[in-house]
Amino acid sequence: MPALLGPEIRRRRTAAGLSQQRLAARVEADQGLISKIETGVKAPSPRLLKALDDALHAGGDLVDLHCQETHAEPGAHHDAHSRKQKEMVTVAAHRAREFVLSHQATLTTETIEQVYDDVRTLAVAYPKQPLADLLGPLAEVQDTLFSLLEQRQKPAQAQQLYLLAGVTGGLLGKAAHDLSVPHAAMTHARTAFVCAEQADHDGLRAWIRGLQSLIAYWGGRPREALRYAQTGATFAASSGGTVAVWLPLNEARAWAALRNVEETRAAIDKAERAWEQVTVDELDEIGGMCTFSHARQSYYAADALNWHPTEADAAETYSTRAVDAYSDTNRPEWAFGDQAGSHTGLALARIARGDLDGATDAITPVLGLVPEQRINGIVHSVQRLHAAIAHSELGADPAARSLQEQIETFTRTPAAALPR
């Protein structure tokens, strides 16, 4: 029985926004059969497999995957069987979730807890997993939340749903940004802010403003990034969460891009002092993308200071601290994007000091990232390193030119170029 084909069909179906029933109608099959195929209980016939491939616009990938699994090496049987069992219970849990959410005449505590758990799981997974694994579930949870909010709900329950819808919209905004779709990123962020207003949640308002500042910063609009960070600080002051540390660091990066070293330093100091007032809020309890850590603080500070050649020593100190913090992938705050940014920041600081070998050592792990992890911010950071090498005294060194060629190869296949 196929171990990976069923989950891949389910992934493509959810990414396309189709229910099992709607997909079954498209391929002229029974919904129960689609369910069995997705759980690996039954293999599709060649005719049905081709129909599924066409309906999900897979371009032959489903057919190829079925052929690969049919001719898999015998030694892989145990691992495939184990994966199939895990996928079966996961798909069964997904079906149970669909049942709970679609058969509730009134919104219950269990329903809200289920959606909350969905959002929290995605927020925690986002910094650690490739976008391809998360986009479908994110869109599905957002659709669930919007559907529930379009129904009449009690005020307290509606407020909870708006909070979760705001977080989900923020995650989708970050996803659009990571895939280099800035218009969609800001659209998601603005909708998320509307949800924050409806939830009347200052922490969420501040978090969305921080996200908008991030999008503007990487989009090359530092004054807009500064405005969002500063307006968000007003909300952060009353929220008490770690977003109060994130916003001044967004401000620091914006000031740095505007070449104002004094304001950059002042904003970094402001973030450090903000820790004294932090108390865990609802967003921090969700975790993942919704909270801010000391490791990210070091990464952001280094990223800001690297704009100023006179601050290379301080930038290297912060970068080294961040690289050390992100070296342990088991730490809750670990994020592949921030880890890559920390290594790139260290490479930038070392180029500013004329240390080409040290910069090469720092950036090598980043250049080894798979295309699925080459998100917008990472690509821009690596391109910034390319420019820094070109403008340094090291530019004529053959080893420097070789490093630039590796960077050019890396940036040719960003995550945004992958099919989705």
Side-chain angles (χ1 to χ4, degrees), residues 268-332:
I268 291 173
D269 291 342
K270 188 192 307 181
E272 185 63 44
R273 293 194 303 273
W275 282 111
E276 299 171 4
Q277 307 299 324
V278 165
T279 56
V280 174
D281 69 355
E282 287 179 282
L283 293 183
D284 292 316
E285 288 176 350
I286 290 174
M289 285 297 299
C290 297
T291 191
F292 198 77
S293 66
H294 287 281
R296 285 182 76 192
Q297 178 188 4
S298 296
Y299 156 52
Y300 270 62
D303 185 62
L305 292 170
N306 268 318
W307 284 92
H308 307 291
T310 57
E311 302 295 317
D313 289 343
E316 184 167 10
T317 298
Y318 277 113
S319 294
T320 301
R321 190 181 304 164
V323 167
D324 290 343
Y326 285 115
S327 63
D328 183 358
T329 59
N330 293 316
R331 293 179 64 164

Side-chain angles (χ1 to χ4, degrees), residues 127 218 253 295-296 299-300 302-303 306 319-320 322-327 329 333-348 359 361-370 373-385 410:
W218 289 113
R253 298 205 299 186
R296 285 182 76 192
Y299 156 52
Y300 270 62
D303 185 62
N306 268 318
S319 294
T320 301
V323 167
D324 290 343
Y326 285 115
S327 63
T329 59
E333 67 268 27
W334 183 83
F336 74 84
D338 291 348
Q339 182 184 44
S342 301
H343 277 270
T344 307
L346 183 56
L348 279 165
D361 288 343
I363 199 61
T364 295
V366 181
L367 299 181
L369 288 175
V370 296
Q373 292 181 320
R374 297 176 193 177
I375 57 177
N376 187 27
I378 294 176
V379 170
H380 273 72
S381 294
V382 174
Q383 289 173 332
R384 185 172 156 195
L385 177 63
F410 174 86

Side-chain angles (χ1 to χ4, degrees), residues 69-373:
E69 290 181 334
T70 303
H71 298 92
E73 294 181 6
H77 174 73
H78 177 75
D79 290 341
H81 183 66
S82 177
R83 287 196 303 271
K84 183 180 75 67
Q85 290 179 321
K86 292 178 181 179
E87 291 290 350
M88 285 178 67
V89 296
T90 300
V91 172
H94 177 80
R95 183 68 186 93
R97 173 188 176 276
E98 287 182 340
F99 175 82
V100 168
L101 294 178
S102 62
H103 288 75
Q104 296 280 348
T106 58
L107 193 61
T108 65
T109 301
E110 286 73 21
T111 304
I112 292 179
E113 287 179 353
Q114 177 62 59
V115 181
Y116 177 88
D117 192 50
D118 291 341
V119 173
R120 181 176 55 189
T121 298
L122 290 168
V124 171
Y126 193 102
K128 305 175 185 297
Q129 296 183 15
L131 280 175
D133 298 340
L134 301 172
L135 283 177
L138 270 172
E140 187 174 359
V141 170
Q142 184 188 61
D143 182 65
T144 295
L145 284 161
F146 285 173
S147 296
L148 290 172
L149 284 166
E150 286 166 355
Q151 303 168 22
R152 187 183 299 276
Q153 306 292 354
K154 295 178 181 178
Q157 293 174 326
Q159 194 171 29
Q160 288 179 287
L161 292 175
Y162 274 118
L163 171 64
L164 296 174
V167 171
T168 305
L171 294 174
L172 282 165
K174 180 65 165 59
H177 161 71
D178 286 341
L179 290 169
S180 303
V181 193
H183 176 72
M186 277 299 188
T187 298
H188 280 298
R190 292 187 190 103
T191 303
F193 192 81
V194 170
C195 292
E197 293 277 76
Q198 294 296 320
D200 193 22
H201 196 288
D202 281 342
L204 182 58
R205 290 184 180 106
W207 185 69
I208 297 301
R209 288 298 188 231
L211 174 65
Q212 290 173 307
S213 179
L214 179 150
I215 294 168
Y217 170 74
W218 289 113
R221 305 187 302 278
R223 293 194 182 279
E224 184 181 336
L226 181 62
R227 174 171 59 83
Y228 279 125
Q230 291 177 335
T231 56
T234 305
F235 302 118
S238 60
S239 76
T242 59
V243 69
V245 182
W246 186 34
L247 285 166
L249 287 165
N250 276 319
E251 184 180 341
R253 298 205 299 186
W255 279 122
L258 292 168
R259 309 295 178 172
N260 190 322
V261 65
E262 291 81 9
E263 293 289 358
T264 300
R265 272 290 189 183
I268 291 173
D269 291 342
K270 188 192 307 181
E272 185 63 44
R273 293 194 303 273
W275 282 111
E276 299 171 4
Q277 307 299 324
V278 165
T279 56
V280 174
D281 69 355
E282 287 179 282
L283 293 183
D284 292 316
E285 288 176 350
I286 290 174
M289 285 297 299
C290 297
T291 191
F292 198 77
S293 66
H294 287 281
R296 285 182 76 192
Q297 178 188 4
S298 296
Y299 156 52
Y300 270 62
D303 185 62
L305 292 170
N306 268 318
W307 284 92
H308 307 291
T310 57
E311 302 295 317
D313 289 343
E316 184 167 10
T317 298
Y318 277 113
S319 294
T320 301
R321 190 181 304 164
V323 167
D324 290 343
Y326 285 115
S327 63
D328 183 358
T329 59
N330 293 316
R331 293 179 64 164
E333 67 268 27
W334 183 83
F336 74 84
D338 291 348
Q339 182 184 44
S342 301
H343 277 270
T344 307
L346 183 56
L348 279 165
R350 287 175 174 173
I351 288 296
R353 291 197 302 99
D355 181 6
L356 179 60
D357 289 340
T360 301
D361 288 343
I363 199 61
T364 295
V366 181
L367 299 181
L369 288 175
V370 296
E372 291 81 4
Q373 292 181 320

